[in-house]
Amino acid sequence: MPITPTEKIWMNGELIPWEDAKVHVLTHTLHYGTGVFEGVRAYETARGPAVFRLTDHIERLFASAKIFMIDIPFTVQEIVEATKETVKVNGLPSCYIRPIVYLGYGEMGLNPMPCVVNVSIAVWPWGAYLGDEGMQHGVRMKISSWRRHDPNIIPPAAKGTGQYINSQLAKVEAIKAGYDEAIMLNPQGFVAEASGENIFIARDGDLITPPLSAGALVGITRDSVIRIARDLGVNVHEADLMRTDLYTADEVFVCGTAAEITPVREIDDRVVGEPGPLTKKIQEVFHAAVRGEVERYADWLEYVS
Ligand code: PPE
């Protein structure tokens, strides 16, 4: 999915031309991976572009930074406003938004604390993350031979740039083997999440998702799915899942900002099938909610103007 350039990128308080948003090769984060980021989406609504759960995303950015002891030189409110401004100035009806906090040029060595802390926000158009076909008919997944981080090795609660090398090992393995996406087990062997999404199964009309303690990111889409499902009268539990729970589930889907709600039609060559009724219903309500069509979820939208 090649990036489509837009006009401006917000860098440390200023909107600058896309092509000027550069960093030095000795930027600390490039070498050691200490940085934190977010993935957010803005959707087209009847009242113009609205950013989905923007403040929640920026609060998670600050929580990630706190875990790594990175002091962001802006407030949550300032980054929220900067994000809205960046969406607005680029004039896109909908887009993906990537705020990133990274350690800059000036220091080397493993102590990150003296480093200058930079913040950038870029936006670009981004369609279905796992493909339009996957969105409609479901994706094919593989359980990775790579395990998800243990919380005492690299904290899954943080959305740190460097920790995605683990996801990428899994993603590459899955793609090379002919699948769309990887599911990762934790060191204890329970299901944690996919390389860039949380995971849910439907069993006997209930929804089950691994607890955060299984090594899943505290997903904002995951939280939205839980609320939507409960509002539909569905029981939602957090429980440890074994790989075979995925093989025998009635329905499986993954969710995330980029992937939205993507059905899973096969896992390790065991057929789950075309998207089931619960998956389709949650997809439908989620897609209506992000476009401002569901009054009950109006508080999830932050309009750019
Ligand atoms: N788990 C992981 C590991 C993850 O990266 C994401 C988001 C989620 C769960 C879902 O979280 P949330 O977006 O809050 O619902 N992954 C982001 C990065 C994707 C990328 O390729 O980069 C995203 O969806 O924006």
Side-chain angles (χ1 to χ4, degrees):
M1 279 176 286
I3 298 176
T4 306
T6 56
E7 288 215 354
K8 302 272 187 193
I9 291 182
W10 189 94
M11 261 182 132
N12 297 319
E14 270 181 274
L15 283 161
I16 63 170
W18 174 279
E19 54 279 4
D20 295 342
K22 292 181 178 157
V23 294
H24 196 275
V25 72
L26 295 180
T27 294
H28 200 274
T29 298
L30 182 62
H31 294 253
Y32 306 118
T34 303
V36 295
F37 71 105
E38 272 303 317
V40 194
R41 271 189 193 267
Y43 289 91
E44 189 169 2
T45 78
R47 286 174 50 198
V51 186
F52 186 68
R53 301 190 65 173
L54 174 58
T55 302
D56 292 331
H57 277 283
I58 302 306
E59 282 175 351
R60 186 174 67 184
L61 181 74
F62 277 72
S64 297
K66 183 176 187 183
I67 291 170
F68 289 109
M69 301 183 99
I70 297 171
D71 282 324
I72 301 179
F74 297 93
T75 63
V76 169
Q77 202 47 45
E78 283 168 342
I79 300 298
V80 164
E81 288 311 318
T83 303
K84 288 185 191 171
E85 206 188 327
T86 311
V87 172
K88 199 158 89 182
V89 79
N90 283 293
L92 302 168
S94 64
C95 58
Y96 185 78
I97 306 165
R98 172 56 54 83
I100 182 167
V101 176
Y102 56 99
L103 307 180
Y105 169 89
E107 293 277 344
M108 269 295 163
L110 284 184
N111 177 12
M113 290 184 290
C115 294
V116 55
V117 178
N118 294 288
V119 186
S120 284
I121 306 164
V123 306
W124 64 88
W126 218 6
Y129 184 65
L130 296 172
D132 291 323
E133 161 80 14
M135 188 60 105
Q136 275 189 17
H137 298 289
V139 290
R140 297 177 59 248
M141 305 275 250
K142 181 191 188 325
I143 308 271
S144 185
S145 69
W146 297 96
R147 295 290 167 105
R148 183 44 111 206
H149 316 290
D150 178 274
N152 293 306
I153 297 178
I154 293 185
K159 199 168 165 65
T161 57
Q163 56 210 81
Y164 280 81
I165 60 176
N166 173 247
S167 285
Q168 289 174 79
L169 285 167
K171 184 86 185 183
V172 169
E173 181 187 67
I175 291 173
K176 290 270 185 197
Y179 298 86
D180 302 306
E181 176 58 307
I183 294 168
M184 306 192 70
L185 307 179
N186 63 25
Q188 292 71 40
F190 294 110
V191 176
E193 58 179 348
S195 79
E197 305 90 21
N198 291 110
I199 189 162
F200 282 83
I201 69 165
R203 195 158 65 194
D204 301 329
D206 291 354
L207 275 188
I208 311 170
T209 191
L212 301 180
S213 57
L217 179 71
V218 48
I220 289 167
T221 320
R222 174 185 184 275
D223 180 70
S224 309
V225 166
I226 292 173
R227 184 160 153 210
I228 290 170
R230 289 193 173 140
D231 288 346
L232 289 168
V234 175
N235 286 317
V236 187
H237 320 283
E238 288 189 340
D240 277 325
L241 296 173
M242 298 177 290
R243 63 194 297 164
T244 47
D245 291 322
L246 306 180
Y247 298 165
T248 61
D250 299 331
E251 298 177 38
V252 181
F253 63 84
V254 292
C255 68
T257 299
E260 300 171 297
I261 316 287
T262 302
V264 177
R265 73 165 195 274
E266 237 180 82
I267 295 158
D268 288 347
D269 305 304
R270 276 80 171 175
V271 174
V272 178
E274 285 281 316
L278 214 46
T279 306
K280 284 207 275 209
K281 186 69 196 166
I282 287 167
Q283 241 184 354
E284 180 195 313
V285 178
F286 179 80
H287 285 277
V290 299
R291 285 170 181 78
E293 293 158 9
V294 187
E295 188 49 43
R296 161 183 237 170
Y297 305 125
D299 61 325
W300 281 343
L301 298 184
E302 296 173 55
Y303 293 89
V304 305
S305 37

